[in-house]
Amino acid sequence: TIYLGDNRKIMPWIDTVDLLLTDPPYGLGKRISSDWMGTTDADVSWDVKPCEVTIKAMLQHCRQWMIWGGNYFSEWLPASRCVLVWDKMNGTNDMADCEVALTSIDQNARCFSRHHFSKGCGGKVHPTQKPLPLMRWCLDIVPEAQTVLDPFMGSGTTLVAARLEGRKAIGIEISERYCESAVKRLAQK
């Protein structure tokens, strides 16, 4: 299910899900540029500040959670035993070598190594899009989670991964353009 709109208005109507798997804006704002993000979309207003209210609301709607960029929200998230690390295998460039997700999972820390655009990752539609194999790996960590919520759906990678893994998913996105991209991606799977 895909909802077009502001997740702060939609989330109160969402039932509890098994897993929140998302990548919210980190609040980097003007520190990012369209060239650096690999897109021609120069509007980065969506990443002006972290979304404290939304983070707190999201946690009320899930049994377990995985939040990429969780290190940016550590003051609003509980301590995390199972930290996920995505080693981007970038080599030497201006982008981060890795990204971190904080989770509520009671397991040891895990690391996923894969270059963003390696085979099987697909093309990039959204400036901060995660690779499909990364999101499938996240779902593999919690095989019991049958319903997945991504309130910052972007181009729908979490929903595509959920479909491929035989799970139900709910995505919320404020941009009509990215909702349309997600619908197209899901139609291809």
Side-chain angles (χ1 to χ4, degrees), residues 80-146:
S80 186
R81 177 173 175 242
C82 181
V83 175
L84 304 180
V85 177
W86 168 31
D87 175 2
K88 295 181 177 184
M89 303 174 71
N90 283 337
T92 55
N93 64 30
D94 291 338
M95 295 182 70
D97 292 340
C98 66
E99 288 190 36
V100 175
L102 298 184
T103 78
S104 64
I105 312 301
D106 188 21
Q107 295 181 15
N108 293 324
R110 300 280 180 236
C111 185
F112 180 86
S113 296
R114 186 173 201 145
H115 189 275
H116 197 292
F117 292 108
S118 62
K119 187 175 181 177
C121 289
K124 192 172 181 182
V125 178
H126 188 278
T128 61
Q129 182 174 319
K130 296 293 182 271
L132 182 57
L134 173 67
M135 300 314 265
R136 291 185 79 177
W137 173 77
C138 290
L139 292 174
D140 286 345
I141 293 171
V142 285
E144 70 279 6
Q146 293 303 303

Side-chain angles (χ1 to χ4, degrees), residues 9 13 21-22 31 52-53 81 92 114 122 126 145 155 178:
K9 295 177 181 175
W13 303 100
L21 175 55
T22 195
R31 289 181 281 172
E52 171 188 3
V53 173
R81 177 173 175 242
T92 55
R114 186 173 201 145
H126 188 278
S155 61
Y178 292 128

Side-chain angles (χ1 to χ4, degrees), residues 47 77 83 145:
D47 195 25
L77 294 174
V83 175

